[in-house]
Amino acid sequence: MSNDKAPSPHRGTFTTTVPGVARIGANRELKRAVEAYWAGRTDAANLKQVADSIARDSWNQMVRNGFDSVPVNTFSYYDHMLDAAVMLGALPPRVASIADPLDRYFAAARGNDTVAPLEMTKWFDTNYHYLVPEIGPETSFALDASIVLGAVADAQALGIPARPVIVGPITFLALSKTVGADAEAVSISPLARIDELLPLYVDLLAQLAAAGVEWVQLDEPTLVTDQAEGLADLAERVYRALSESTDRPKLLVQTYFGDARDRLAALGRTGIDGVGVDLIAGSADSIRDAQLTGKHVVAGVVDGRNIWRTDLHAALETLRELRPHVGSLAVSTSCSTLHVPYTLRGESQIDDALYGWLAFAEEKFAEVGALSRALLHGEADQEPQFTASRTALLSRTTDPRLHVPAVRERLTGLSSSDWTRADAAVRREAQDAALPLPILPTTTIGSYPQTVEIRRARSALKNGTIDAATYRARMEQEIAQVIALQEKVGLDVLVHGEPERNDMVQYFAEQLDGFAATANGWVQSYGSRCVRPPILFGDVARPTPMTVGWTTYAQSLTNRPVKGMLTGPVTIIAWSFVRDDQPLAVTANQVALAIRDETVDLERAGVPIIQVDEPALRELLPLRTADRVAYLDWAVRAFRLSTAGVEDTTAVHTHLCYSEFGDVIGAIAALDADVTSIEAARSHMEVLDDLNDAGFAAQVGPGVYDIHSPRIPSIDEITTSLREALGAVSANRLWVNPDCGLKTRRTDEVVVALKRMVAAAVAARAEVAAPVA
Ligand code: GLN
Ligand code: ZN
């Protein structure tokens, strides 16, 4: 573990680091360990051993790459916001009586028989989900720094130049929610309690100083958002106060996921020692404008969120230009590498060219190290990393798969008629004539339970123990069962059940040109849950139909209409690593055309209804309000491009879930789908009022029960949901469906729940026909 290549930093500063690292383990060791602990198969001591070795491995890896400041305390058993809540004494009272700290922690994260877990939501615009701390009248903040101090001590014992990383007070409160007895109390932002937190942070800083910590990092990504008014003033006030405490390490305030602009200048006016900036999502101009000549600036010039190899020459240029505008400079990634896989090593199935274009976390560490050395010694051309970067860049710009003439010509030939269908009323009439349905038609969102048989068949195909024909036969058997189930419970519009889909994005990525898959490219989604996003590297096209066979097979088994199921372009992009060499809008249109080809083929094969799911529509919404119009514009256009190729008689459905829709409600109307199914069971149909206010006049299927819970709803509950829905939209616009796909449920639960849903719909039809006076 030689450190002799590390440049000697400016006195008291450092040159080479990252804001944080992943913690699930290179081979998902943490996932296995926590799941074993939850199942009672291991004890806390074992779990801690796994945790310690994950943290130690990443520290050593960073030191090997010449890091002279190593982020510690970035490990978490479940989530770093939950860790911050523990540190600040802000766990909800309902878990307080659980004596064991680890069990209390996991109860807050996952709930148990008697307590509900904290709510989970998206971490800024990433695919990571954090637990939302609850701040209520009972919350009385109190510092417990033991976990941070423990991490620091462990690192110091190994000679690691440890820089503890802690969620900053502004971000902690801005991402929490207020709970309380009455609506008025709840409407107050948790940020109102910032002054209660400051003494705790002062105390924390003092304890870290006493432990011999030289630099501490407080993460404040909220400073790149428009999440609250007056963030610049607040940042200035908070960090003036914290920097004035004399007994403290040097203080680095780390921003990421955007450009902190005026908040950066505000931080510059305080006595903090350093700021971390994201130069991938933000720009160097802000640093110049902010007058940071007295500060240590940690410059995130290597993309921490995407998987492409850095243009090191360009990054070095950026760093050199910055140097005169800052006090001292360190090289870093734009954000924690939590959001990218661990390492490219072992990805032997990726072709040589693509492999050369990629950098996962380990490779990014090497890039940061090389940039840092080149900045200090000015010998970029002797760094093998720089040569590799140049070669990769050249190969990437000249690879024919990134510039497929047929795809490009199709895109430039598009005109507005390609994303416009006939008037909605005209379509409605044509669809009603082509396919008469009862009033309040019943349907489901697409997936049915992923049974043991399905999973077994999938892994047998992968291991080569069954051939493609056998696999197909097994899937058809599943489809037949799901069709029979739906006929038995009496649904009006059926689906094939999606047994062949491991994942709603991966399934399509595997069949489209321009995508690649990784063998071990896991990233944490939440807790122990990981995803393996496909890589969208080239021009996208659809060589052959992807879903037509399954859908027509399902249709051949029933006289009732079967709905075809596709994933929309925005969701495919949101859940993949996407090429960064052209605007997202262009990539989205390419994906849209591939999906459009599929809709046209489905229609030709006689499928009367096609659903194009866009659960991630809200996810990609930019953090800054000013950027939102442009995003929604291309997102809506891409969806419309993917769906506007069919005849008026074909009904286009879409499905949205996983979020509050307030910010995108206008865009939902603009999608111009014939039917929109939308998650509403938990928000009590409020979404319908919002849709009405936005002028939405199409058919809608607000989810009448929550599929995320194993609890089976009663007929009465569903009836109440339906009555609420009928209060907001007329009966001839209303569909009846659950609020999402059923793949995570068990078949026996699904049968009972759907029978009740159909019974409630039948009763509601009678009520609508003969309204009670
Ligand atoms: N059609 C998909 C399913 O039913 C939709 C999933 C989703 O909305 N996330 O599983
Ligand atoms: Zn859904």
Side-chain angles (χ1 to χ4, degrees), residues 445-447 498 504 565 575 611 613 615 655 657-658 740-743:
I445 305 304
S447 59
E498 305 178 21
M504 66 185 288
M565 304 300 304
W575 295 349
Q611 178 171 310
D613 292 329
H655 168 69
C657 60
Y658 295 140
C740 197
L742 301 166
K743 63 168 163 260

Side-chain angles (χ1 to χ4, degrees), residues 416-497:
S416 66
S417 63
D418 291 310
W419 47 83
T420 317
R421 298 184 76 197
D423 205 58
V426 172
R427 295 181 339 235
R428 174 83 200 253
E429 206 175 311
Q431 289 160 24
D432 284 350
L435 180 69
L437 288 169
I439 198 162
L440 305 180
T442 53
T443 191
T444 49
I445 305 304
S447 59
Y448 275 73
Q450 286 269 325
T451 58
V452 182
E453 292 75 34
I454 296 175
R455 287 205 207 104
R456 230 176 251 152
R458 190 173 299 134
S459 66
L461 178 69
K462 207 173 143 205
N463 302 338
T465 45
I466 60 170
D467 62 9
T470 312
Y471 175 76
R472 172 158 284 272
R474 297 223 181 138
M475 292 301 119
E476 288 185 348
Q477 209 175 339
E478 283 293 330
I479 292 173
Q481 279 170 19
V482 166
I483 291 289
L485 182 161
Q486 295 173 89
E487 288 193 323
K488 189 175 93 193
V489 302
L491 291 161
D492 300 309
V493 171
L494 313 193
V495 293
H496 79 288

